[in-house]
Amino acid sequence: MYWLRVPTKKEITFSEQNITTPNNTIVDINIPKAEGGDNVSVLINESLNQFVETALQYNQEEPSQGSISENIDNFNTEYINFKNQFPESVQEWEAQIDGEVMFKSPDIISISLSSYTNTGGAHGVLVITFLNFNAHTGELITTDKLFKNTEEFISFANPYFNEEISEKEDMYMDPENFILPQNIGYSPDGLILLYNTYEIAPYAAGITEFVIPFSDANSYLNINGI
């Protein structure tokens, strides 16, 4: 009798990669790189690379379709052009993109990506983005697909938000009209809800985030946390 051996799926692992170019002096990129899992890692890496390419777009009206390397060089070139046009300026440009795997289970992988760019304004711009991936397929999971019923989750999460802003409520725009943030991700401590600067409050309020333990949130989630 012969037994058919079914190949086991190779586990997805992550390493850190630094991406640069020979002439780069102002862009620093350190993001995870998915390995194993056949096409799963390919799709995850494609999404991460696309994020970096978009984050480096200097001219939002005429976005480049180039690779990460091309966008790094374009960012450097724009800075050189700026210095040539305004040689008296002491303003230094920079771009810093970092990523980390926040959570990994057999069903879901959450990655946090932070992008800081400074191109001569009063202050730099920091944006944090959570990407959630289906660990079986590598496909991105949109926020609305995280919940069994989004409206029920909004009602459930509202008190956690109110508690987070209770001592600074006057800084927020329409705090009584609770909305979900653009970024929701999994972490060892629970489900993180994060609002970037300007999303629901002025710059002075900074980033707003709070965590809901999975013991409370799991009944609302399509994919349970640990």
Side-chain angles (χ1 to χ4, degrees):
M1 179 181 292
Y2 294 93
W3 294 94
L4 177 64
R5 180 183 292 273
V6 178
T8 57
K9 179 181 176 181
K10 186 176 181 181
E11 180 184 2
I12 296 293
T13 60
F14 289 88
S15 60
E16 182 177 298
Q17 61 176 333
N18 174 266
I19 306 174
T20 188
T21 62
N23 298 318
N24 172 43
T25 61
I26 57 175
V27 178
D28 189 18
I29 300 172
N30 300 280
I31 61 171
K33 181 179 181 180
E35 300 172 343
D38 301 324
N39 197 50
V40 176
S41 60
V42 173
L43 291 178
I44 292 175
N45 290 329
E46 285 179 352
S47 294
L48 296 177
N49 291 342
Q50 184 177 29
F51 170 87
V52 174
E53 292 164 7
T54 302
L56 288 175
Q57 297 292 330
Y58 172 73
N59 189 340
Q60 299 297 332
E61 295 181 357
E62 298 180 8
S64 167
Q65 300 298 318
S67 65
I68 292 178
S69 295
E70 290 171 326
N71 279 290
I72 290 174
D73 287 338
N74 287 341
F75 194 91
N76 278 267
T77 298
E78 290 291 347
Y79 173 64
I80 292 172
N81 293 338
F82 168 80
K83 293 297 289 185
N84 289 336
Q85 186 175 0
F86 304 100
E88 73 285 354
S89 174
V90 296
Q91 177 67 50
E92 299 289 338
W93 284 23
E94 63 177 313
Q96 174 80 42
I97 300 174
D98 295 301
E100 65 171 336
V101 179
M102 296 194 302
F103 185 90
K104 184 164 77 78
S105 78
D107 298 315
I108 191 169
I109 297 169
S110 287
I111 295 178
S112 172
L113 294 157
S114 62
S115 169
Y116 175 81
T117 55
N118 191 338
T119 56
H123 49 73
V125 177
L126 172 65
V127 177
I128 296 176
T129 302
F130 295 155
L131 299 181
N132 299 300
F133 297 94
N134 183 320
H136 301 285
T137 66
E139 296 177 331
L140 276 171
I141 304 173
T142 57
T143 299
D144 62 301
K145 299 300 183 183
L146 293 175
F147 310 111
K148 297 175 181 177
N149 185 303
T150 301
E151 292 302 318
E152 288 183 1
F153 180 78
I154 289 174
S155 298
F156 159 73
N158 197 351
Y160 292 88
F161 171 77
N162 291 338
E163 181 179 358
E164 173 63 26
I165 69 168
S166 60
E167 297 181 0
K168 48 184 178 180
E169 186 174 341
D170 58 334
M171 299 184 68
Y172 288 81
M173 300 175 287
D174 197 14
E176 295 182 357
N177 183 23
F178 174 69
I179 59 173
L180 293 181
Q182 296 177 17
N183 293 288
I184 300 176
Y186 286 55
S187 81
D189 297 322
L191 195 70
I192 301 180
L193 286 77
L194 183 145
Y195 302 83
N196 277 296
T197 306
Y198 297 121
E199 191 172 343
I200 56 172
Y203 178 81
I207 291 172
T208 299
E209 66 177 319
F210 58 95
V211 179
I212 303 177
F214 287 127
S215 56
D216 297 335
N218 273 342
S219 61
Y220 297 88
L221 300 176
N222 282 321
I223 301 175
N224 285 353
I226 298 173

